[in-house]
Amino acid sequence: MSPTYRPLIYIISAPSGSGKSTLVNELLKLVPDLDFSISYTTRAPRGSEQHGKQYHFVPRAEFEQMIGDDEFLEHANVFGNYYGTARRFLREAEEKKHDLLLDIDVQGAAQMKRKLPDAVSIFVLPPDRKTLEWRLRKRSEDAEDVIARRLVTASREIENYDKYDYILINDDLEESIESLQAIVLSERLPRSRAPQSAGEKKIVELADRQRLANIRDRVRPILDSFGGLPPSARS
Ligand code: ADP
Ligand code: 5GP
């Protein structure tokens, strides 16, 4: 019998409006054998969202039943609604020998890292607060009070940026897609040998530029635009 495939798990988190869904959609078109884990949520669908596509939209009682049946790898309460990653997505990825991409919040990311320390985590940041506000408005999906709440939450979420392996500053969309693709592909390369072809070297170089340790200086002005971090979160 062939050995069980251990899927690579990619976690992507971002303050709402940073462009995470846009990046994820493009990434999934570019990278083969990468499945998106469609989370369960108790929030209502927005705009053109469809059940089973962006999310499995379920009533609160059903979600709570699933928690009771231990069906989630992780779950969290975000903006007053439940969101969770079903265990079965990991099993299905294993069977298909695919890797798995999770779009989850900072609480979920922390839970996943505790359970699966090898998971690769990526935090998407907007170039600054003003741009984030503009993107939230441009999307025209949220009322003004919701936008205001998302901006306050964003300031809190970005305090956790340094718990992630990679930071992706989503300024120019094309460049961000290229960097995200490089992160995913570089993590698939064997660790036992140095990158060989020019293509592999380019991927590794591009991915390395987004590593937490190499990007801190570019992150600082972004944090400042959100009013800076409390002393406890500075390094
Ligand atoms: P999120 O999933 O993080 O909440 P979205 O992917 O919905 O964010 O993006 C929010 C808005 O910003 C959308 O209108 C999207 O088209 C736009 N957007 C995303 N990335 C960029 C970018 N790099 N430059 C300009 N606009 C962007
Ligand atoms: P939205 O309602 O804007 O689609 O998502 C709100 C937040 O919930 C985002 O930060 C998103 O990453 C997060 N989220 C989506 N699915 C999950 C999940 O399964 N688990 C956790 N912990 N967070 C999730």
Side-chain angles (χ1 to χ4, degrees):
M1 213 172 79
S2 63
T4 313
Y5 180 72
R6 283 190 58 206
L8 280 169
I9 310 283
Y10 299 96
I11 298 170
I12 187 160
S13 305
S16 182
S18 305
K20 184 182 48 177
S21 314
T22 308
L23 292 168
V24 164
N25 288 337
E26 292 306 314
L27 180 75
L28 292 169
K29 288 183 209 156
L30 293 168
V31 177
D33 300 340
L34 179 65
D35 293 350
F36 180 66
S37 160
I38 303 167
S39 296
Y40 283 75
T41 183
T42 56
R43 86 148 161 78
R46 281 199 295 252
S48 59
E49 286 180 335
Q50 289 169 9
H51 180 72
K53 197 149 181 246
Q54 290 80 11
Y55 286 103
H56 296 286
F57 297 97
V58 294
R60 192 163 268 264
E62 188 174 331
F63 198 103
E64 284 169 351
Q65 179 69 46
M66 289 179 75
I67 298 175
D69 294 342
D70 196 25
E71 288 192 38
F72 290 115
L73 269 175
E74 64 73 36
H75 62 88
N77 195 303
V78 188
F79 302 126
N81 284 301
Y82 282 129
Y83 291 81
T85 305
R87 287 184 193 281
R88 76 180 159 84
F89 277 99
L90 185 55
R91 284 198 302 271
E92 284 169 13
E94 235 165 55
E95 281 160 18
K96 288 193 273 177
K97 297 188 173 20
H98 284 187
D99 297 323
L100 195 61
L101 179 67
L102 312 182
D103 167 348
I104 59 181
D105 83 322
V106 292
Q107 310 166 67
Q111 288 181 49
M112 285 300 297
K113 272 289 205 183
R114 277 196 295 276
K115 277 190 188 154
L116 301 168
D118 288 341
V120 177
S121 58
I122 305 156
F123 195 75
V124 180
L125 277 174
D128 52 54
R129 187 185 187 280
K130 251 193 154 32
T131 309
L132 181 66
E133 188 171 351
W134 186 76
R135 285 186 190 162
L136 283 167
R137 291 233 157 77
K138 179 170 75 139
R139 196 168 65 179
S140 352
E141 277 178 353
D142 299 313
E144 274 305 307
D145 61 321
V146 177
I147 290 179
R149 190 149 51 100
R150 287 191 189 278
L151 285 167
V152 172
T153 307
S155 305
R156 214 173 49 230
E157 284 172 333
I158 61 171
E159 289 172 15
N160 295 286
Y161 82 97
D162 63 351
K163 315 237 169 24
Y164 286 73
D165 301 314
Y166 295 93
I167 309 294
L168 188 62
I169 301 171
N170 181 22
D171 194 348
D172 179 87
L173 186 59
E174 292 307 312
E175 279 178 24
S176 299
I177 293 166
E178 204 186 347
S179 299
L180 183 57
Q181 187 183 13
I183 293 168
V184 169
L185 296 180
S186 73
E187 290 285 343
R188 281 182 171 177
L189 293 174
R191 300 210 173 151
S192 52
R193 61 157 176 83
Q196 284 170 345
S197 65
E200 283 187 5
K201 281 185 190 142
K202 188 176 165 216
I203 283 169
V204 171
E205 215 179 275
L206 195 49
D208 277 350
R209 261 188 254 156
Q210 325 303 320
R211 276 187 196 276
L212 176 64
N214 300 332
I215 205 165
R216 278 186 192 272
D217 289 349
R218 287 180 58 208
V219 169
R220 203 143 293 138
I222 299 173
L223 303 181
D224 288 344
S225 76
F226 281 87
L229 292 184
S232 60
R234 284 186 210 135
S235 54

